[in-house]
Amino acid sequence: MIMNKLQTMWSISRRKSLINCPRQYILRYSRSQTFYNHEKNNITHSLKDLVIRTSRKVMLERLEDLKNRLEWSDKMVLLKIRLGVKAEIKNERYQIIRNSYHLNNLINTAKNKINSLWKTDIFRRIISGAIKQWSCMDRKKFFSNGHIDIFCSPDISYKIQNRWNLLRIDFQGEIRNSSSELESLAMVNWAKRNKFLPTVTNKYVVNTLKYINGIWIHDKYLPNDELLQQSKQLLEKDVHEMNKLVEKMGPLLDLAQIPLSNSQTICDKCTFKPSCPAKYGLNNSKLEQNAIEYNKAKINFESNR
């Protein structure tokens, strides 16, 4: 019998997956995924995902060189992305790239994203030296809050006057929604655990730069202790929902019990679509799943009469 794994990690990407498609969350982030990935040799990230991951690494490497007064040419940016994507593809176990034209388009788009990022107000001020005190942060570093390991590091921290600004950069941003502020404020709870940063809430400003529809969108949030508490509660609720979702599969890890996406757009972009019941149409698959759940509930009800 295969046991379900307790979910203890939170990040914005995990939260997005949980909300956008519960089945995708299970396959990508649940630690029960090891069973599925080894059994079915699933690839958990698309080429687009790998290019975005590479873009973030290249961005940070370019910033570190900027600290040493080394500026990159367009050719260097492109070369770094190509080499990074090649390494990511190897790690992800892609056997063959069937559409090199598509991959080249993704790489060129990534280069343009990074170059346009360098033209945003925040980056212009860093490059010009108007912002003198700044550092790149490591997203792999987390802090623990009870039983939850929280991955919410900013990409860059910088000081303006007497306040520290925390900046997170999203190469595949989503339009601001009702929970965006609380998601972003998790960075403050992370920063207050960092021995090099203040422990006082009003010493922070939270910033996000999201690439949406071809442009970088800048959002800014001012934290207070009440909002930080609400942010913590949001994280705790998310992890609770993650564990409820995993438990729903039962001891045999029955994926048929996991809800599908509510969005055809999300479904169309999903790496797992080739092996998903929704590969022939999301609406029909959801109707079939609802019918199965109804019949199962009916059988359980009649057996307990």
Side-chain angles (χ1 to χ4, degrees):
M1 182 179 292
I2 299 163
M3 299 302 293
N4 294 326
K5 302 290 185 180
L6 181 67
Q7 305 300 288
T8 61
M9 298 181 187
W10 185 93
S11 67
I12 290 177
S13 58
R14 287 168 184 262
R15 183 172 202 273
K16 282 183 182 179
S17 187
L18 177 72
I19 293 170
N20 290 337
C21 179
R23 183 184 174 97
Q24 183 194 80
Y25 172 83
I26 290 293
L27 290 171
R28 179 171 288 173
Y29 293 115
S30 160
R31 280 176 289 179
S32 302
Q33 68 172 314
T34 306
F35 169 72
Y36 296 111
N37 292 343
H38 287 312
E39 289 293 308
K40 301 179 182 178
N41 200 29
N42 281 336
I43 290 173
T44 59
H45 294 87
S46 68
L47 286 176
K48 187 174 183 180
D49 293 331
L50 301 186
V51 172
I52 289 171
R53 185 190 296 168
T54 299
S55 299
R56 187 176 299 111
K57 292 178 181 178
V58 170
M59 173 197 71
L60 294 173
E61 187 179 351
R62 188 178 181 184
L63 280 170
E64 291 294 351
D65 274 358
L66 180 65
K67 265 187 179 273
N68 297 318
R69 299 182 179 179
L70 298 173
E71 185 50 85
W72 290 11
S73 66
D74 271 6
K75 287 184 178 179
M76 176 63 81
V77 176
L78 192 59
L79 177 62
K80 289 286 189 179
I81 295 171
R82 286 192 184 281
L83 292 175
V85 170
K86 184 178 179 180
E88 291 286 351
I89 286 171
K90 184 177 179 181
N91 289 338
E92 191 67 16
R93 306 189 314 277
Y94 274 91
Q95 298 299 316
I96 186 171
I97 304 301
R98 294 182 174 84
N99 191 341
S100 58
Y101 178 77
H102 173 61
L103 179 58
N104 285 332
N105 278 346
L106 289 174
I107 290 172
N108 283 316
T109 299
K111 184 203 76 169
N112 293 335
K113 282 184 184 181
I114 291 175
N115 285 340
S116 62
L117 179 62
W118 250 243
K119 295 175 183 177
T120 59
D121 180 64
I122 294 173
F123 274 72
R124 282 182 181 275
R125 295 170 73 187
I126 290 173
I127 293 164
S128 68
I131 295 175
K132 299 187 182 337
Q133 196 171 353
W134 60 276
S135 296
C136 295
M137 314 304 283
D138 184 359
R139 280 198 183 188
K140 293 178 182 176
K141 291 187 176 179
F142 63 91
F143 78 89
S144 295
N145 181 34
H147 65 286
I148 306 173
D149 294 332
I150 301 172
F151 292 80
C152 57
S153 161
D155 292 305
I156 305 170
S157 62
Y158 56 94
K159 194 174 185 181
I160 297 179
Q161 295 179 344
N162 65 340
R163 282 189 168 186
W164 279 96
N165 283 254
L166 308 175
L167 171 63
R168 190 173 182 92
I169 297 155
D170 191 342
F171 281 85
Q172 188 173 241
E174 295 182 357
I175 295 171
R176 182 170 173 171
N177 57 51
S178 59
S179 62
S180 295
E181 181 177 29
L182 297 183
E183 290 174 4
S184 299
L185 290 181
M187 285 190 274
V188 178
N189 286 321
W190 178 92
K192 289 170 77 171
R193 305 290 186 98
N194 188 310
K195 63 181 179 181
F196 300 108
L197 293 171
T199 57
V200 181
T201 302
N202 63 13
K203 291 290 185 182
Y204 289 101
V205 178
V206 172
N207 302 269
T208 61
L209 274 173
K210 298 179 180 181
Y211 194 82
I212 303 173
N213 296 329
I215 58 174
W216 288 99
I217 305 295
H218 179 202
D219 286 321
K220 182 183 289 188
Y221 307 100
L222 297 176
N224 59 51
D225 289 335
E226 181 181 353
L227 286 173
L228 291 191
Q229 183 59 34
Q230 290 176 23
S231 177
K232 286 182 180 179
Q233 291 170 352
L234 176 74
L235 272 56
E236 290 168 357
K237 181 181 177 182
D238 284 347
V239 173
H240 177 67
E241 291 300 320
M242 292 170 189
N243 278 296
K244 280 175 61 178
L245 189 65
V246 172
E247 288 171 6
K248 190 170 183 178
M249 291 191 294
L252 298 180
L253 304 183
D254 182 7
L255 272 176
Q257 303 302 316
I258 303 301
L260 301 172
S261 175
N262 287 319
S263 165
Q264 186 64 56
T265 302
I266 296 294
C267 191
D268 290 340
K269 296 177 181 177
C270 184
T271 317
F272 302 104
K273 189 171 181 179
S275 61
C276 180
K279 63 183 176 181
Y280 298 121
L282 179 60
N283 289 336
N284 287 338
S285 297
K286 290 177 77 69
L287 288 172
E288 290 174 7
Q289 189 176 58
N290 290 339
I292 291 170
E293 288 182 359
Y294 171 79
N295 288 333
K296 183 178 178 181
K298 183 178 180 182
I299 291 169
N300 287 339
F301 174 77
E302 289 179 348
S303 63
N304 292 326
R305 290 177 66 178

